[in-house]
Amino acid sequence: MSAEGVLLGRRAVSGSGSGLVAQLLLALICGGYAAGAALGWGSHELALFMGDFGLSLAAAIAAVSCFFYARGRGSRFRPAWLLFSFSSAMASGGNAVWGWYEVVLDEPVPSPSLADLFFLCFAPPAIVGLLVLAKRPVSRAGWVCLALDSWLIGGSLLTLSWSLALARTAHFQGESVTQAALSLAYPLLDIVLVSMVLALHFRRATGSRSAVNTAIAALALTVLCDALFTSPLLRETYRSGQLLDAGWFAGSLLLAYAPWGMRRIPESPPQPRHPRTPSRPIAGSLAALTPYLAAAVCTLGILYNVIEGRRVDRVVVLTGCAVVLALVVRQGIMLVDNIALTHELAQKENHFRSLVQGSSDVIMIAAPSGILRYVSPAATGVYGREAEDLVGAELASIIHPDDLGRVVHEVRRFLAAPPSEEPTTRIECRFRSGAGDWLNVESTVNRHQGGLIFNSRDVTERVRLQAQLQHNAEHDPLTDLPNRALFTERVRQALSGRRTTDPGTAVLFIDLDGFKGVNDRLGHQVGDELLILAAHRLQDSVRAGDTAARLGGDEFAAIVLGDGNDDLTAREHQVHEIADRLRLRLSQPYRIDGNDVRVAASIGIAFAEPGITPTELMRNADLAMYRAKAAGKNRVELYAPQMQADVVRKTELATRLRTALHDGEFALLHQPVVHLTTGRVSAVAAQARWRSAQGILFTPAEFPRGGDDSDRTTELGRWLLEEAVSHAAERARIGQPVPVAVRLPARRLLDRSLPLGSIESLVSRHGLPSGALMIELADSDPRASLDELEHRLIALRRLGVRIALDGFGSGYAAISALRRLPVDVLKLDRGLVEGVVESARLHKITAGLLRIAGDLGMESVADGVDVPEQVLALRAMGCTHGQGMAFSGPLDEYRLRRALLTGTYPLPGGVAQPVLTGSALPGSALPVGSSRPSAGDRIPHPSMPLDPLK
């Protein structure tokens, strides 16, 4: 139990304990008073004092108690307690006057006196207060019945009282009219008060039941003592301080205790109790028998006179006739009311019967034994079974066996719960239809005479739709494989439970190499068909307990659950073989529309480790897959922690790259392009170098990997172009004119952020002559339109800009670009130049490409010429220019100007005769001076160390 529950429990116990103490104290006071009255109080004077002023004090306490209780309450019963307070004040005043005569003046109380006035004012406020506490009727007939019930009770009591005692009081000799009236007023008011007490007992309102019942008991005790006092036998012998006063005393204190002492009892924690159903029928029966009991009391009063041989008093006859007449009128009203209620009940029954029979829901009533006692006609349309066939059958016989246990458990739980807390419950299960199949049925269950009412409806379509929506939310709409969300959940399940410590569970990430080219060449329809076929192959290749999924685009994934093998090395080898077979399976040709479509597969593997999360495991597999693509594609890579470190390094590099340009960390270098026949510098290739704030030098092959096709990369390209043009113009002004080559991707030339006029304005702004700028076009992007690229290059050539095709021989699009685009120079790919000496195959390919360049009248530049043997081989094959460490690495502006001042580089094997015409790149200017460089001006040999930024 919580601390708050313990505290509330203690408060409740303390409240109930204080209430019990108050009750015991009240009982002791009343008992002490009764004992004193029974013993005569020890003296005549004390008896008179306690019988008069003691009763006055008790009534005053009741008046003050009821007044303060009514003052602090805002309920509709506040007037009743104020009236009770006024009534008690009148009783207190009457007893005080009585004591004034008997105790203070020591003389008999005159009749009539002021005390009679106070006592007569006691009953009317109490009667009105009881009317306030009564439940008010809602119709005129109810008010009439309430008045008739009160008269029936009062008239019957008047008849009986008159027969027994009041007739003698009314004919008492020697008394004045006032004294006789007072003698009759007291019992008549008591009869009215008793009538209201009895009427209120059957018509009391809900709320503050304990206080109201206690107040009724107090008034009933007071009325009983008044009735005894008005009897001739006791009145003649009554003296103050006798035992009869103990009743009045207890009634006053009980009324004073009623609003306060009984209020604390409900604060205790209510204990769950079953409703006492027998009390309500008994109370209802007594209320219904009240008129007949009243008539019986009248009859007893008349019979008493007859048995005693007395003449029947006219008061008894008139009162009895009035009671009988009231009874007849009341029964007539009740008869008319019952006829109206019966008619209304019949209408409502017909209305609800039509609703039940016309409802699309099936309403069934089951007995406590589970036998169906009623089934509505809607069962024919919903279940396909006649209602008559279901009546008498067991409810369990139409429920699916797999759902029966759950239904029984829910019904038992529902019946055990209190009806006030859970009036209904809802059960969903499968019912057998007339066709023999199972329908999903939702039922609202209510209690009914110990049994159950089922209000059932067919929700089969809704359940089917929910299942379909759930499936669509968790599966890929194209391949019907689990999507990323469901795959992540399967990975989470594989890493939890009994597989938590299983190191053999692995996740495979799969990417289809070349899929984008299929979309570009053959269209997206063929691409979708290829994805569907690849999904089928993947699904067929995994085991029954494994999961294959499509994560999006051409990326797939699979979970290979562990087999409990503790040998991790053997398990890695086994999963690697599975992934390699899967790679070969996915790389086989796909037959689509009569054509064989080929793609490859790059697969990354990551194994589960203790404490790894699903997100981390999937990230590791993704990193391994990208490592497989970066390593050449169509291969399988196993995740290693170094991959994550590389990603972190690249991310940090990309972050620093965003601010490096604005911080001035980039430097412009130029690498000479040398004529392979004369050794002269024909052009320079502009390159960017990045020396970070940490002192790390990044080459062009390194730092672009930290960026992407973002605004930063675009800004870097603009900076390189503008710096190269600016330095070329500056060199031309000092007498060292040499063309500068700037490498730009094809997509950059088509980018709207680099319009055609920007290059023209750049050249004209710096005064660069025609032919001094050459754009090295990087291998064409498949996304770039050759038509747009052709128009753009033609416009650039009109500006005097020369075009070089960079990386020729390395891609499929090179021949197409050579055929369509206006190209002046072919730049051989570094991959061809590196193997031109060792590989006879590459030697022949390079020779063929150079022959094509010569036939088209183009100059050729070999990139990556690093050793003298390459220079000799390329020159023999007809290559006109070379660029690489065989001549010089990238130079800063100071060393470049020294190299241009010298003008030539030594060639291996001496100066050879040119095979192809032309001694310089188109538009190149010969360097100033023709003499051989001196020893001090000679360019260092490639074998000599050289820091290009010093």
Side-chain angles (χ1 to χ4, degrees), residues 123 127 130 150 154 157 187-197:
I127 294 171
L130 290 174
S150 300
L157 293 177
L188 290 178
L189 288 176
D190 289 337
I191 290 173
V192 175
L193 190 57
V194 169
S195 301
M196 295 309 304
V197 168

Side-chain angles (χ1 to χ4, degrees), residues 607-896:
F607 282 91
E609 300 175 356
I612 195 171
T613 64
T615 303
E616 293 172 345
L617 182 59
M618 295 173 63
R619 179 205 63 194
N620 295 345
D622 195 21
L623 291 176
M625 184 265 290
Y626 277 104
R627 177 59 62 90
K629 295 179 69 67
K633 302 180 180 181
N634 194 21
R635 56 187 294 131
V636 177
E637 285 287 342
L638 182 63
Y639 170 77
Q642 182 60 33
M643 297 180 183
Q644 177 64 20
D646 293 343
V647 171
V648 173
R649 177 180 173 274
K650 291 179 180 179
T651 303
E652 295 176 351
L653 188 62
T655 303
R656 295 199 304 268
L657 181 60
R658 294 187 181 97
T659 59
L661 187 60
H662 295 289
D663 295 343
E665 296 181 5
F666 280 95
L668 180 66
L669 302 182
H670 294 85
Q671 188 172 26
V673 179
V674 180
H675 197 286
L676 296 183
T677 303
T678 63
R680 295 183 179 276
V681 178
S682 303
V684 291
Q687 298 178 4
R689 288 292 188 275
W690 174 29
R691 184 183 293 277
S692 67
Q694 291 76 16
I696 303 175
L697 182 66
F698 297 103
T699 65
E702 292 175 340
F703 66 77
R705 297 177 184 176
D708 54 5
D709 297 332
S710 62
D711 295 338
R712 299 298 177 186
T713 307
T714 302
E715 189 175 356
L716 178 59
R718 292 177 182 174
W719 176 87
L720 178 62
L721 180 61
E722 185 165 355
E723 288 293 314
V725 172
S726 175
H727 283 73
E730 180 66 23
R731 288 191 296 270
R733 283 192 291 270
I734 63 175
Q736 292 181 334
V738 61
V740 61
V742 181
R743 189 177 187 272
L744 291 178
R747 62 179 179 276
R748 286 284 296 115
L749 291 176
L750 299 178
D751 192 356
R752 298 301 179 186
S753 63
L754 185 63
L756 178 63
S758 63
I759 298 180
E760 180 180 12
S761 62
L762 183 64
V763 172
S764 61
R765 184 171 70 249
H766 290 281
L768 199 65
S770 177
L773 175 62
M774 181 167 59
I775 300 297
E776 293 182 354
L777 184 66
D779 45 353
S780 58
D781 191 336
R783 294 173 293 182
S785 172
L786 286 179
D787 293 335
E788 295 182 9
L789 188 60
E790 181 181 5
H791 294 312
R792 187 63 183 273
L793 294 181
I794 291 175
L796 289 175
R797 290 192 68 186
R798 292 172 183 169
L799 298 176
V801 178
R802 300 301 179 180
I803 306 300
L805 186 60
D806 189 17
F808 186 71
S810 62
Y812 296 107
I815 300 300
S816 178
L818 184 62
R819 179 176 59 87
R820 296 281 303 275
L821 303 179
V823 178
D824 300 308
V825 178
L826 292 180
K827 193 170 184 180
L828 295 181
D829 184 72
R830 177 182 291 270
L832 292 176
V833 177
E834 289 177 350
V836 72
V837 178
E838 294 83 1
S839 174
R841 186 181 185 85
L842 290 180
H843 188 279
K844 293 180 179 180
I845 293 176
T846 305
L849 295 177
L850 291 173
R851 192 177 303 111
I852 293 175
D855 293 341
L856 295 177
M858 299 180 182
E859 299 294 332
S860 56
V861 178
D863 187 16
V865 182
D866 296 332
V867 295
E869 292 79 7
Q870 294 173 344
V871 176
L872 297 175
L874 291 170
R875 186 170 60 188
M877 286 186 287
C879 183
T880 58
H881 298 81
Q883 172 186 344
M885 296 302 295
F887 308 107
S888 173
L891 304 174
D892 58 9
E893 187 64 23
Y894 172 76
R895 291 180 176 273
L896 176 63

Side-chain angles (χ1 to χ4, degrees), residues 70-395:
R71 185 180 179 182
R73 292 282 170 171
S75 65
R76 60 187 180 93
F77 299 127
R78 179 181 181 182
W81 293 105
L82 289 176
L83 290 170
F84 292 155
S85 175
F86 180 76
S87 178
S88 299
M90 293 298 100
S92 177
N95 285 294
V97 172
W98 198 286
W100 175 262
Y101 281 102
E102 289 189 337
V103 177
V104 178
L105 301 181
D106 192 18
E107 61 182 37
V109 180
S111 179
S113 66
L114 185 61
D116 293 322
L117 178 62
F118 280 112
F119 287 140
L120 288 176
C121 292
F122 167 79
I127 294 171
V128 179
L130 290 174
L131 287 175
V132 174
L133 291 177
K135 183 187 299 183
R136 298 180 182 180
V138 295
S139 62
R140 294 180 179 178
W143 283 105
V144 174
C145 289
L146 177 61
L148 291 175
D149 288 343
S150 300
W151 167 245
L152 287 172
I153 297 173
S156 61
L157 293 177
L158 177 61
T159 303
L160 184 61
S161 300
W162 190 274
S163 300
L164 295 176
L166 295 183
R168 298 178 184 178
T169 304
H171 297 87
F172 190 78
Q173 300 296 329
E175 290 186 352
S176 63
V177 177
T178 305
Q179 291 175 342
L182 288 174
S183 300
L184 291 176
Y186 285 117
L188 290 178
L189 288 176
D190 289 337
I191 290 173
V192 175
L193 190 57
V194 169
S195 301
M196 295 309 304
V197 168
L198 293 176
L200 179 62
H201 176 70
F202 300 114
R203 292 177 176 269
R204 62 181 182 272
T206 58
S208 302
R209 288 183 177 271
S210 300
V212 172
N213 290 336
T214 307
I216 292 175
L219 294 176
L221 181 59
T222 303
V223 170
L224 177 61
C225 294
D226 288 344
L228 294 175
F229 173 75
T230 56
S231 65
L233 297 177
L234 291 180
R235 186 173 183 178
E236 294 177 356
T237 61
Y238 172 76
R239 296 291 183 272
S240 296
Q242 292 182 352
L243 189 60
L244 185 61
D245 292 346
W248 282 316
F249 183 84
S252 296
L253 291 186
L254 192 62
L255 183 60
Y257 172 77
W260 302 101
M262 303 305 293
R263 186 179 58 153
R264 297 183 180 180
I265 295 178
E267 292 182 1
S268 60
Q271 300 296 329
R273 296 179 180 177
H274 295 288
R276 295 179 294 178
T277 53
S279 63
R280 292 184 179 178
I282 291 177
S285 301
L286 290 177
L289 292 176
T290 299
Y292 304 102
L293 293 175
V297 171
C298 285
T299 305
L300 289 176
I302 296 174
L303 289 177
Y304 177 79
N305 287 330
V306 173
I307 293 173
E308 291 291 330
R310 302 175 184 176
R311 183 176 59 87
V312 178
D313 196 287
R314 284 180 292 181
V315 175
V316 174
V317 174
L318 292 177
T319 305
C321 292
V323 170
V324 173
L325 180 60
L327 178 61
V328 172
V329 174
R330 186 185 187 281
Q331 292 303 109
I333 294 175
M334 296 301 297
L335 180 60
V336 174
D337 194 22
N338 288 338
I339 293 174
L341 289 177
T342 302
H343 181 67
E344 183 180 359
L345 181 61
Q347 288 182 341
K348 290 183 177 179
E349 184 179 358
N350 293 331
H351 175 68
F352 284 110
R353 180 179 288 108
S354 62
L355 288 179
V356 170
Q357 294 181 352
S359 175
S360 59
D361 294 348
V362 180
I363 300 176
M364 301 182 298
I365 301 178
S369 60
I371 302 299
L372 295 176
R373 297 186 303 186
Y374 172 79
V375 179
S376 65
T380 304
V382 176
Y383 300 155
R385 304 177 66 175
E386 296 295 334
E388 293 78 6
D389 298 338
L390 291 175
V391 175
E394 292 186 2
L395 181 62

